Amino acid sequence: MHPSEIVCSEQLCRLECGERFVRSWRQHEAAVSSGPNHVVLGLIHGLGDHSGRYDEMARWFAGRGIDVYAFDLLGHGNSPGDRMVIRDYETLLRDVESFFDYVKNRHSDSLLGLFGQSMGGNLVINHQLRGYSRPAFVIAGSPMLRAVNQPGAI
């Protein structure tokens, strides 16, 4: 599929946890797709990262018929909040849950999965271990399970 046939949208959205910047990618001819065989992937970025860095990967998946959504966590990218200031870990997990609900509301009968990279990988693992909503699948890419050197104050 030619890259121009992929539609990317970007907007500040009101999620249950507050305003967050959300991106989505899909094939041009597809409306908001759903159905029991339609796969939708939600991307969770890492610490100090943002959803825009996953553009190439998201376009790859979209070119294969998988709708992709990504959002900027609180204090990251184009979302509001002090840069990389995280009040507590549960705030991040609530962000993931709110994002999951946002995508699920748009694709209620699709196979919805979560992919997290680095800190995002940690979040998708703990999102499941702590009993939040159950996606059809979870992928944790290089999950940040424990830092060799704990981050200092910024």
Side-chain angles (χ1 to χ4, degrees):
M1 172 161 290
H2 192 274
S4 65
E5 296 177 30
I6 304 299
V7 175
C8 177
S9 67
E10 303 176 336
Q11 59 186 332
L12 196 59
C13 296
R14 181 86 183 144
L15 306 183
E16 186 177 311
C17 62
E19 285 191 333
R20 299 293 182 270
F21 189 76
V22 177
R23 289 181 168 89
S24 65
W25 297 261
R26 62 176 174 81
Q27 290 183 359
H28 184 267
E29 69 275 1
V32 173
S33 303
S34 74
N37 296 321
H38 182 73
V39 177
V40 179
L41 183 63
L43 301 176
I44 313 298
H45 66 76
L47 181 65
D49 209 350
H50 60 87
S51 59
R53 290 191 39 148
Y54 296 87
D55 183 69
E56 187 175 342
M57 183 175 89
R59 288 177 184 278
W60 186 89
F61 280 112
R64 285 146 183 85
I66 298 170
D67 289 0
V68 180
Y69 289 80
F71 81 115
D72 294 341
L73 290 160
L74 180 66
H76 289 76
N78 290 316
S79 284
D82 295 330
R83 301 298 85 189
M84 294 181 18
V85 173
I86 301 165
R87 289 184 286 260
D88 58 67
Y89 190 74
E90 290 299 323
T91 297
L92 294 174
L93 290 173
R94 284 190 299 274
D95 260 16
V96 172
E97 181 70 2
S98 292
F99 172 66
F100 183 82
D101 287 344
Y102 173 85
V103 177
K104 185 170 56 177
N105 288 336
R106 280 150 187 75
H107 301 274
S108 59
D109 59 348
S110 297
L111 294 171
L112 175 57
L114 290 175
F115 171 90
Q117 176 64 29
S118 187
M119 180 183 74
N122 176 295
L123 289 169
V124 299
I125 290 169
N126 277 289
H127 180 263
Q128 294 307 285
L129 292 175
R130 296 181 188 206
Y132 286 92
S133 296
R134 298 286 183 201
F137 62 92
V138 171
I139 303 168
S142 300
M144 181 180 74
L145 300 178
R146 181 174 177 212
V148 173
N149 298 312
Q150 296 301 312
I154 297 176

